[in-house]
Amino acid sequence: MAGPAADPAAALAAAGAAAASLRRELERHAHAYYVLDAPTVPDAEYDRLFAALQGLESEFPALATPDSPTQRVGAAPSSAFAGVTHRVPMLSLNNAFSEEEVVAFDRRAREALGSEAAIAYAVEPKFDGLAVSLTYVDGRFETGATRGDGETGEDVTANLRTLQAIPLRIDTTLSLLEVRGEVLMRRRDFARLNEAQRARGEREFVNPRNAAAGSLRQLDPAITAARRLWFYAYGVAGGADQPLPADRHSALMDWLAALRFPVTPDRATVCGVAGLLDYFAGIGARRATLPYDIDGVVYKVDSIADQQRLGFVSRAPRFALAHKFPAEEAMTELLGIDVQVGRTGALTPVARLKPVFVGGVTVTNATLHNEDEVRRKDVRVGDVVVVRRAGDVIPEVARIVPERRPPGAREFTMPVACPVCGSAVARPEGEAISRCTGGLYCSAQRRQALLHFASRRAMDIEGLGEKLVDQLVSPAADPGAPRLVRTPADLYRLDVEQVGGLERMAEKSARNLVAAIDASRRPTLARLVFALGIRNVGETTARDLARHFRTLDALMAADEPALLQVPDVGPVVAASIATFFAQPHNREVIDALLAAGVAPQPVVAMPVADAGLGVVAGRTFVLTGTLPTITRDDARALIEAAGGKVSGSVSKKTDYVVAGEEAGSKLEKARQLGVAVIDEAGLRELLAQE
Ligand code: IVH
């Protein structure tokens, strides 16, 4: 393409065509968003198109037209409602996405006020709903309007009257008061609404904000009433006919609260830029637990006199700033769908994406959950998709953009053979998950099984992380090299030389790993059972099984009726335990573990009712120092399982102090009081005596 310098006329024509197409696209999206309350693209995408058009119009001023979407704020009111001209325009806020922008905002405000001192700010959540203005005449709610284009909004008085949160009468001597705030739908009510929509086979809302907008802009107020909308006040427009009884924004909010307007409890006042950033971080951390959606926070200079001095620049106040969270949704292209195999063989379709910045990070993969979800969302390879990453949640493909589907977009089918080991894939009737039937024959399952086996709550092998497991399972450097580890039992045969021979493995780390593996040889039975990775057997069930059966042999010999005797074990869990131990390859792994010297500690379970019969039952123990082979938590579990009690401090009532290395003052105290002191071996002897 010729550059603009080469042929200005051609460049102008090309820019004109691009601008026209951007305008058409923006109009379509704006209509879907504002009129239909069914957005077609994420906000960030709309903003991008909008900025592109603005860019073209400023580069080629000849292209600017009065009806361009860039020439109005928000959307014109829909014709369904009567128009209301705002007495005071409803403006918008300047946005900041970075700390630097917040620092610059604060600096500009201090410069304009000619003050070195830190500014006092009122800080509030930025509610993700829609702005409304409520006019009270002689204390009576008279008119309620949406923001519309900022100058003229829609008259939604009848609908707003149905909101329990909005007072219809207020106790004030002001003859005119205009309260501004946000109408929103709280998350719980949103979930309930969508459930009902689903049950009726009606369209679900994409998010609480669109649900709030759709519910408020109903021609039948009875529908609005049924939708449970909420309102939070965040300001007063200059419409009051007498001075307001507050000289600070925060005091104004207190006054509104006293008039029975809902004001968020999550607001605060802070000092200076450090205070602003602290508040931002604090709310960010609590965001997921708030009862309503927010898309950032709003900072406002607290002093109303200072607000007036700072005034407005173009269409936004200079005294306030919206500090926004990174967008949680973004659009990108779906390049392919991979299938990942988990520890239990579950196959998860994972979207491979053209890298996209969303939720503050660059995302290249997103989960598609399972086959049914792929169908429900009608996701096809080649589609333009909306990716969502909220907080620390795993990124997911939220939905597709149907009108952007390219011809030939490919449907997804679950493979019939495991993509890693080639074993058959099974999807039992009534289940959503397809699984590889290869078990530990499948290297993907082996890898996950090893990671689980070594994890902190299982065998607790420090230093055995993903990279190392990958190398042990399939040496990357030389694919032909023998695999050092096929099953967890192989770990116990590794020596320093073998581990040291792996890529990027210093001798010291190799020694540490071998020592950590060695130290894991005496787990509690509960940890070992949990470590085996039996489906449906979590930590708690593993503990119950250990307590009930006491030895691995007894557990392995148990049939389903015997397993059902264990408290909290139902048919599904019993079946999966029995199936696990019935598989010869699982038995082989267990035999190999035992042969390699892994020996679960005996469990001496003494029912509390029998207290007094056993040596441990009914006795009080205090644990101190480092025990040679088990952690204090494990020792506690053993003692409690045997009906004993563990206390944190030594007294005359203490029966035994179990002391390990570097035991300190508790050991001293025991000696002073003449309490019996034993070591780990002594404890084991006690536990073994029934
Ligand atoms: S104060 C001059 N406070 O953000 C504008 N606005 O971009 C004064 N919003 O349309 C607005 N929470 O819908 C203010 N705590 C809050 C807010 C808030 C959400 C929205 C409001 C407005 C938009 C401005």
Side-chain angles (χ1 to χ4, degrees), residues 6 34 53 57 71 92 183 189 334 344 409 429 589 592 656 671:
Y34 288 106
L53 179 58
E57 289 175 351
Q71 300 306 302
S92 57
V183 166
D189 296 323
L334 177 64
T344 57
E429 273 287 317
V589 169
Y656 295 100
R671 298 226 163 98

Side-chain angles (χ1 to χ4, degrees), residues 193-209:
L193 169 62
N194 262 357
E195 222 171 87
Q197 294 287 102
R198 232 183 346 259
R200 283 195 299 262
E202 280 172 32
R203 175 171 67 89
E204 287 179 49
F205 291 93
V206 167
N207 56 41
R209 184 191 54 197

